[in-house]
Amino acid sequence: ILSRYGKSLGCVAACYLASIIPNISGIILECAFVSVTDILGWTSPFISKSMKLEMDRLSCVKYLSKVMCPKCLIYGSHDQFCPVHSQEVFLNIAFKE
């Protein structure tokens, strides 16, 4: 039985691995986020298009639709690094079925 765990940026790696490895029993994501640009608070006018595309690769959402195993998402309302809004949007995407 394989499972994956990721915290913050590690959630991207956990989602990626869960999306390509068959027979994953479950995935636990702590402080998952929509995108790196969302966490950094950057908006499109301040970064180049190519940099934004590279940063958008670091997104759990990109791989989440391919994750078929049970998901456990943990987040906090007083997280000092990852905005609550980003975590709530991620929760809505993760459990949209």
Side-chain angles (χ1 to χ4, degrees):
I1 295 177
L2 285 174
S3 61
R4 292 287 164 243
Y5 169 80
K7 181 175 181 180
S8 195
L9 191 55
C11 292
V12 178
C15 280
Y16 172 72
L17 290 172
S19 73
I20 64 168
I21 298 174
N23 303 324
I24 296 287
S25 60
I27 185 169
I28 300 171
L29 304 173
E30 185 178 349
C31 304
F33 52 86
V34 175
S35 70
V36 171
T37 53
D38 192 30
I39 287 177
L40 297 175
W42 292 351
T43 54
S44 298
F46 298 111
I47 60 173
S48 70
K49 194 174 204 176
S50 62
M51 183 178 276
K52 182 174 181 344
L53 288 173
E54 286 296 315
M55 291 182 141
D56 285 345
R57 288 180 40 207
L58 298 174
S59 171
C60 299
V61 175
K62 179 177 179 177
Y63 306 109
L64 200 60
S65 64
K66 297 175 186 171
V67 174
M68 296 299 142
C69 62
K71 304 168 194 88
C72 175
L73 297 153
I74 303 167
Y75 79 102
S77 59
H78 289 79
D79 191 317
Q80 294 178 345
F81 180 70
C82 187
V84 174
H85 168 73
S86 183
Q87 295 180 58
E88 289 174 346
V89 169
F90 183 80
L91 285 170
N92 289 333
I93 293 168
F95 291 108
K96 177 181 76 171
E97 306 222 345

